[in-house]
Amino acid sequence: MTAIRLRGPADVLASLPYQLGYHPEESVVVLALSEGVVGLVERLDLPPPSAVLEAAGSLVLPVLRSDFDAVLLLGFESADRSARPVLDALDSALSEQGVSVVHRLLVRADRWSSLDCGSTCCPPGWQPLPEPASTPAVADFVRLGMVPRGRRADLAEAVRADPALSEAVAAELRRPGAPAPGSAFLGADRRGSDLSELARRLAALSVWADVLGLGTSRGGDEAPLSGDRLARSSARVRIVGPAEVAELVRSLRDVHLRDGLLAWLCPGFLPPSDLDEDLVDALESTLGPISDAPVAPALGDDGAVTGKALLTRLEGLVRAVPDGEAAPLSTVLAYVAWYHGQGTLARVALDRALADAPHYRLAGLVEQLVDLGLRPSALGMAPPPRRHLRAVQFPDADR
């Protein structure tokens, strides 16, 4: 494991955009640490004075659901004291629950200051933000392929339909003979109506194998790659055309195949025993062995590298899907992003999914997981937290 460790507040500030995926503005950020390793990153727009307590409550609950050693609180503001009220409210709420707040940092323009430690471990007064190039942790993020976008809006743009790609996919989906929306029938327009359900699933999963770079559907000699080798298969990723993207869109209308795909991509989503045996066989024959051992992916290990490669490919697919058809694939992207600790990407993918289909059930369920801060470790993928939680009710965050 090559976990990324942060040496102090300056490292935190330099590396935060790489963890969030963009540069925060007018925000409050909570970082929860375990043995110096970041385990949870939450961000919320700075609330108006009337909503400070509500905002603080929504950020506290996910921290309490996991067993972290300490918490850092960061406020990004352009006006004096606009972030301080919510930092104070968070500090008070976490302290009441027995959570150690080790730093409260303010960032204004290109300078930062500590609210608590004075000259004991942080320089006094306002200091210039550290240069990313001088921070070892940033080099680790860059090595993993993580480069921040300018703003959160840029991240949302990355999951919107790109007309240059999506119009051709929309035309494929409208072609006469194509399966009707909601049908589990895949590829009837190219393979005939006598294909069995298993054969259709095998055909669709073979396309997924190509897109994920597993390279088994083109007659190669190499054995199927398991999920932990996905990152090293990028050279075999094939550029897919509109017909193949349309095939992937149709495949996710089969909710059983969709759930099986997520079970393969995110061990622990569903145990293989909950899937149809024929579907498990189809997944393993095209994608590789499906794990029944849940894992809680940690930033910096092989799983995180795999996660980055996977998320990049799923983002590209989502941009090629036209509006009105994006809910299933956007939801898959959202869950995979949440599984790998990319909460903001999960949010913007959910926004697109629910804008496309407000009642899409899986998107609603994933949104609840994100709202409640239930990462995979909190769903049984790691030992439950040792901290005893008092009975506290907090409202959901205002996104």
Side-chain angles (χ1 to χ4, degrees):
M1 181 179 293
T2 56
I4 296 174
R5 295 182 179 273
L6 304 174
R7 301 170 300 179
D11 275 14
V12 170
L13 295 171
S15 62
L16 182 63
Y18 294 82
Q19 297 175 68
L20 287 175
Y22 63 97
H23 294 270
E25 299 175 338
E26 303 298 318
S27 305
V28 59
V29 178
V30 176
L31 286 85
L33 309 179
S34 179
E35 298 181 355
V37 179
V38 175
L40 175 72
V41 181
E42 297 183 276
R43 189 217 66 94
L44 196 67
D45 291 341
L46 288 181
S50 61
V52 164
L53 294 179
E54 179 181 350
S58 70
L59 292 170
V60 167
L61 184 55
V63 175
L64 300 182
R65 290 185 179 275
S66 300
D67 194 19
F68 295 111
D69 300 327
V71 170
L72 280 73
L73 306 178
L74 288 70
F76 293 81
E77 62 180 24
S78 57
D80 185 22
R81 297 188 63 82
S82 57
R84 180 68 181 265
V86 69
L87 293 182
D88 289 343
L90 277 166
D91 188 20
S92 176
L94 288 167
S95 297
E96 287 179 1
Q97 294 293 322
V99 180
S100 173
V101 178
V102 295
H103 286 292
R104 291 184 301 159
L105 307 177
L106 275 178
V107 179
R108 193 180 305 152
D110 58 353
R111 304 181 74 80
W112 71 277
S113 176
S114 172
L115 294 176
D116 300 311
C117 60
S119 60
T120 58
C121 63
C122 301
W126 290 89
Q127 302 295 318
L129 286 172
E131 291 292 334
S134 66
T135 307
V138 169
D140 289 334
F141 282 110
V142 172
R143 178 178 57 81
L144 295 177
M146 299 179 178
V147 179
R149 294 176 171 91
R151 300 171 301 151
R152 187 181 188 276
D154 297 327
L155 192 60
E157 185 65 29
V159 300
R160 293 197 182 103
D162 179 355
L165 303 171
S166 63
E167 289 179 0
V169 175
E172 285 290 332
L173 291 168
R174 292 193 302 265
R175 276 196 308 114
S183 169
F185 192 85
L186 310 177
D189 49 322
R190 294 196 309 178
R191 299 181 178 89
S193 60
D194 58 344
L195 283 177
S196 69
E197 180 179 62
L198 177 58
R200 292 191 295 270
R201 286 175 172 173
L202 283 168
L205 288 170
S206 294
V207 181
W208 275 108
D210 273 346
V211 170
L212 297 176
L214 307 183
T216 63
S217 63
R218 282 171 285 164
D221 295 329
E222 185 170 356
L225 299 181
S226 58
D228 63 353
R229 295 172 58 202
L230 177 60
R232 295 188 285 277
S233 67
S234 59
R236 287 185 295 280
V237 177
R238 184 161 57 87
I239 302 301
V240 298
E244 290 162 308
V245 176
E247 184 86 347
L248 299 182
V249 171
R250 295 182 189 119
S251 76
L252 296 182
R253 295 172 182 165
D254 178 350
V255 296
H256 299 291
L257 184 146
R258 178 204 66 191
D259 291 349
L261 180 66
L262 276 173
W264 189 90
L265 294 171
C266 304
F269 175 79
L270 280 177
S273 58
D274 284 0
L275 300 172
D276 179 82
E277 289 184 7
D278 287 340
L279 177 57
V280 172
D281 289 343
L283 287 163
E284 294 192 333
S285 66
T286 51
L287 304 180
I290 181 170
S291 174
D292 59 359
V295 291
L299 183 61
D301 65 8
D302 287 342
V305 181
T306 299
K308 177 59 183 175
L310 173 59
L311 290 171
T312 298
R313 296 169 199 181
L314 291 177
E315 281 185 47
L317 286 176
V318 166
R319 286 182 59 76
V321 178
D323 291 336
E325 296 280 0
L329 186 55
S330 295
T331 303
V332 168
L333 170 60
Y335 187 83
V336 174
W338 184 239
Y339 184 87
H340 286 282
Q342 301 297 306
T344 305
L345 178 57
R347 284 286 192 190
V348 297
L350 283 171
D351 286 345
R352 184 171 184 208
L354 291 169
D356 247 31
H359 302 295
Y360 191 64
R361 186 168 179 267
L362 182 59
L365 292 173
V366 176
E367 184 179 43
Q368 290 181 47
L369 298 181
V370 176
D371 284 345
L372 294 172
L374 290 173
R375 284 286 307 284
S377 59
L379 294 171
M381 294 187 173
R386 295 184 298 271
R387 182 183 300 115
H388 174 70
L389 304 185
R390 300 173 191 162
V392 179
Q393 182 176 1
F394 295 111
D396 291 342
D398 176 11
R399 295 180 291 123

